[in-house]
Amino acid sequence: MSDREVVVLSVGGVRFVTRASTLQQFPESRLARMLNGDNREFKLVNGEFFVDRDGTLFSYIMDFLRTLQISLPTDFSDYQRLQREAEFYGLYPLADLLSQEHLLKPRLEILEVRFSLQEMQAFFRIFGSCSSTVETLAEQITVFTGQQLGQSWNSPFPSLVPLPLERPSHHDIVFQCGTDYSAGDQFVARYVSIKPDNRKLINGTNVLGLLLDTLLKDGFRLLSTRTVSSEDKAECYSFERMKKPAGLTVTVNQTPGSSGVAQAKRSQAQKGK
């Protein structure tokens, strides 16, 4: 790589090394014009461009130039300062994204698990405030069913068939496990598997334990446990977590004669959990 392709910047005492092409993503920006010597805000000292601005915030500027995506830490709060820095550097697409602060902030997500144990069967209903999280959870849960003659429901089934989960709405999942007698000496059993665990569980209490453990590992925090109906042995477990938003991406139109026109769109790379 030649010297012309490598650019060194000292921003507020913090040193950055990058490619010239990265700084030229937006031709009309100050950073792009800096390379042509067209901006007096940047002083070339010992082969490095000195910039008297905030070096910590500039790390987010560089990440945006490298990925064309804005993705901030969960505890980030300096939206206005970063927007001001983006405007200083002439990165107006980034400034526009930062002005949509509500899209970038993490939001509180609520999830409830209702569990009812009735004789040999257990019934589950999961409700979540975020439909994408419920959809992801539905992809992790599989219910298997099978039939067998005899009285012992602990014996293994020769073959199990997966069943689709009930989805009353985009925010709900309904399923059950355990055994239920059908005609004659046959009985039907439902097993539940929750990825990444490979076990097929038939006991409702075991399924509940695995489900709660899966949610805790996924960043949810248990808020409360309450008895919905002591008569029906129904319990409700309430969870919450701060959900980080999907990244916002800028698409740059670099057709001949354009000036780096940009449009913002939701990134599909991160799926909501």
Side-chain angles (χ1 to χ4, degrees):
M1 189 179 293
S2 68
D3 291 342
R4 289 185 179 182
E5 291 178 302
V6 177
V7 181
V8 180
L9 301 96
S10 177
V11 184
V14 183
R15 194 167 181 265
F16 297 88
V17 181
T18 187
R19 293 171 178 266
S21 57
T22 300
L23 300 177
Q24 293 168 333
Q25 288 277 20
F26 299 89
E28 299 298 323
S29 70
R30 277 185 168 181
L31 291 169
R33 289 186 283 119
M34 170 193 73
L35 299 179
N36 300 325
D38 294 340
N39 199 294
R40 296 181 180 179
E41 293 285 347
F42 304 90
K43 306 293 184 182
L44 191 58
V45 180
N46 297 326
E48 299 183 7
F49 287 99
F50 173 76
V51 189
D52 190 18
R53 302 294 293 191
D54 190 306
T56 301
L57 292 179
F58 190 73
S59 64
Y60 301 116
I61 300 284
M62 283 303 308
D63 184 61
F64 171 74
L65 290 173
R66 287 168 175 150
T67 65
L68 293 182
Q69 185 177 94
I70 180 67
S71 182
L72 301 171
T74 304
D75 58 352
F76 186 82
S77 59
D78 290 337
Y79 293 94
Q80 291 184 347
R81 288 183 61 214
L82 184 54
Q83 182 180 353
R84 189 165 62 243
E85 292 299 293
E87 290 172 348
F88 168 80
Y89 291 110
L91 297 171
Y92 298 108
L94 175 58
D96 290 342
L97 291 183
L98 291 166
S99 68
Q100 304 176 64
E101 191 174 324
H102 64 287
L103 296 178
L104 298 171
K105 282 186 174 180
R107 56 193 175 99
L108 184 64
E109 185 178 0
I110 302 296
L111 190 139
E112 284 190 353
V113 175
R114 293 204 173 201
F115 170 69
S116 177
L117 191 60
Q118 300 175 15
E119 297 182 353
M120 305 291 283
Q121 297 184 81
F123 299 86
F124 294 83
R125 181 163 192 158
I126 302 172
F127 172 83
S129 60
C130 180
S131 60
S132 62
T133 296
V134 176
E135 185 65 36
T136 300
L137 194 56
E139 293 174 358
Q140 293 178 257
I141 299 174
T142 306
V143 177
F144 297 89
T145 185
Q147 291 187 345
Q148 183 173 320
L149 291 170
Q151 301 293 323
S152 176
W153 61 275
N154 285 316
S155 59
F157 287 89
S159 62
L160 296 174
V161 179
L163 291 176
L165 296 178
E166 292 182 48
R167 298 294 306 276
S169 75
H170 293 297
H171 295 270
D172 292 84
I173 302 172
V174 176
F175 62 94
Q176 67 187 80
C177 65
T179 61
D180 183 28
Y181 282 96
S182 58
D185 290 333
Q186 286 190 332
F187 64 92
V188 178
R190 287 185 174 87
Y191 292 81
V192 174
S193 178
I194 305 176
K195 297 176 182 178
D197 195 295
N198 293 320
R199 292 174 296 169
K200 294 180 177 64
L201 304 176
I202 195 171
N203 182 281
T205 303
N206 292 341
V207 173
L208 177 64
L210 178 58
L211 176 60
L212 300 186
D213 185 58
T214 300
L215 294 174
L216 292 173
K217 288 180 178 178
D218 206 23
F220 280 98
R221 182 171 68 93
L222 180 62
L223 289 178
S224 64
T225 302
R226 70 181 190 275
T227 300
V228 179
S229 171
S230 56
E231 188 175 320
D232 296 334
K233 297 182 180 179
E235 299 174 343
C236 180
Y237 298 81
S238 299
F239 293 83
E240 73 170 16
R241 74 172 175 184
M242 294 302 293
K243 183 174 183 258
K244 188 176 180 180
L248 286 176
T249 303
V250 164
T251 302
V252 184
N253 178 14
Q254 296 290 15
T255 55
S258 74
S259 59
V261 178
Q263 294 181 334
K265 67 177 181 179
R266 280 282 186 184
S267 170
Q268 300 300 319
Q270 300 180 38
K271 210 172 185 181
K273 289 186 176 182

